[in-house]
Every structure is written in structure tokens, then in C-alpha cells.
Amino acid sequence: MYQAWPRRIGAIDVCLIQPPARQNRIAEPHYGTYEDMARDLVEYLRPHLDRPFAFFGHCGGALPGVEVTRQLAAAGLPLPERVFVSGQVAPHDGPHSRLFELGRDGLRDELGRIITALGGEPSGPLIEMGLEVLANDLEANRRYTPAASPFPRASPRSAGPRTPRSPRSSWTAGRTSRPTSGPSS
């Protein structure tokens, strides 16, 4: 889905992250937990943290973005200017997904519907490969327990004009609101 996104939007570079066990990384093992995935991403991103950046994560990419931000803060590394999430409840309110209620047969049927809706032809091997990745992703989501500390805040940077910031209270641990986006500072 995201491979069709532009690599630049105005002066902003768009850098996509491809998790293991998918597409061009299909031969690599699944990341297992969001904490493990974030640890690997922090190491990968380290040389690129010398300029302002933000994270966007949708659905299964939302919580890894949150965890990468937490691990960057724990390591004393620069934090994103913003963390945008969609299609996911606030980390401390999860896990929540209608897919958790489905067994393997239900997930298999759901994958078939998704593939068909995207114009594809669901086949046995394609469904089984996707089923394994989806089951592992759901397990990572079930196992994720974010830190009880408030969401990390970036230090102000001189990167151009500043705009008023949205309150981040909805992303403070223990709150129950479900934001569609949340700033990191």
C-alpha cells in the first residue's frame, strides 16, 4: 500500500520502513515483538537523527512508532517532532482489534476478502503466507505493554517557524482517550 507514496512531499523526504517477513524482506523472520522491532529500528535510524523528523504509523505501524520513540528517549537520542498514528487505539488502551476475536479460519477468510477487495485473486499459498504474518502481528500487538511513563517529549529545535501545538494529554499514560494523532512535544 505505501510503496506508491511519493518519496518527497515538498521539502520533506518520505522514508518508508518495510518490516521483516514482508515483500522484499519475506525471507527474514518476523520481528516478534514491538520492542524487538523498535530496538532494530533505533540502530538503523541512529545515523539519520541529525535533522528534524516525524513518524507516521497506521494500524500495525502505529505502536512500533510509539515504541521507537520511547526507546529513542531511553537512549538519550533525538526525538521526533511529531508522532502521527491512525487506525489504532492509544497504546495504554490496547490491545483492541476485531481481528483478535477471529480464529485462524476467520483470519484466513478475512485475508481472502482483503485480497479480493484490492483486486487480487486469493490463492492457498498467498493466504497461508499472509495468515502467518498476520497471526504474528496480532500476537505482537497482544503482547505489547507500553511503559507507564508519560509519552516522551522532544526538546524544541530551531527548524523554522513554530506552530501552536496540540495538547498531548490524551497520550499521557493512564488516560483513556483515543487520539487520531499525537504530538511528541
Side-chain angles (χ1 to χ4, degrees):
M1 169 179 4
Y2 302 107
Q3 66 269 18
W5 280 27
R7 295 303 179 252
R8 290 188 64 78
I9 301 172
I12 299 170
D13 291 328
V14 176
C15 304
L16 305 177
I17 304 263
Q18 179 68 268
R22 293 158 172 80
Q23 295 170 323
N24 62 333
R25 298 183 67 190
I26 195 74
E28 298 175 39
H30 192 274
Y31 52 83
T33 67
Y34 292 148
E35 293 85 352
D36 289 344
M37 182 181 187
R39 185 193 63 241
D40 292 344
L41 285 170
V42 165
E43 288 310 308
Y44 175 80
L45 293 171
R46 217 177 255 269
H48 307 284
L49 301 175
D50 60 342
R51 63 204 82 160
F53 64 99
F55 293 142
F56 169 76
H58 176 72
C59 195
L63 295 179
V66 167
E67 184 59 25
V68 169
T69 303
R70 290 188 182 282
Q71 288 191 25
L72 288 171
L77 294 168
L79 297 176
E81 294 286 320
R82 296 277 190 272
V83 176
F84 300 96
V85 300
S86 67
Q88 183 65 258
V89 299
H92 51 276
D93 287 343
H96 176 75
S97 172
R98 67 180 180 78
L99 298 178
F100 289 137
E101 300 167 15
L102 302 177
R104 285 185 84 81
D105 288 339
L107 290 173
R108 189 177 286 110
D109 292 344
E110 183 69 17
L111 282 173
R113 282 190 290 278
I114 292 169
I115 291 168
T116 301
L118 293 172
E121 187 68 38
S123 68
L126 180 62
I127 295 284
E128 291 308 311
M129 183 173 57
L131 180 61
E132 193 61 32
V133 171
L134 180 57
N136 287 334
D137 286 354
L138 289 170
E139 184 59 26
N141 192 295
R142 277 188 193 98
R143 294 172 57 190
Y144 184 60
T145 351
S149 60
F151 196 69
R153 297 176 63 164
S155 299
R157 300 182 201 195
S158 178
R162 306 304 283 183
T163 57
R165 299 187 183 234
S166 302
R168 57 189 274 296
S169 59
S170 63
W171 278 80
T172 304
R175 299 290 297 256
T176 57
S177 59
R178 290 174 171 82
T180 55
S181 68
S184 64
S185 57

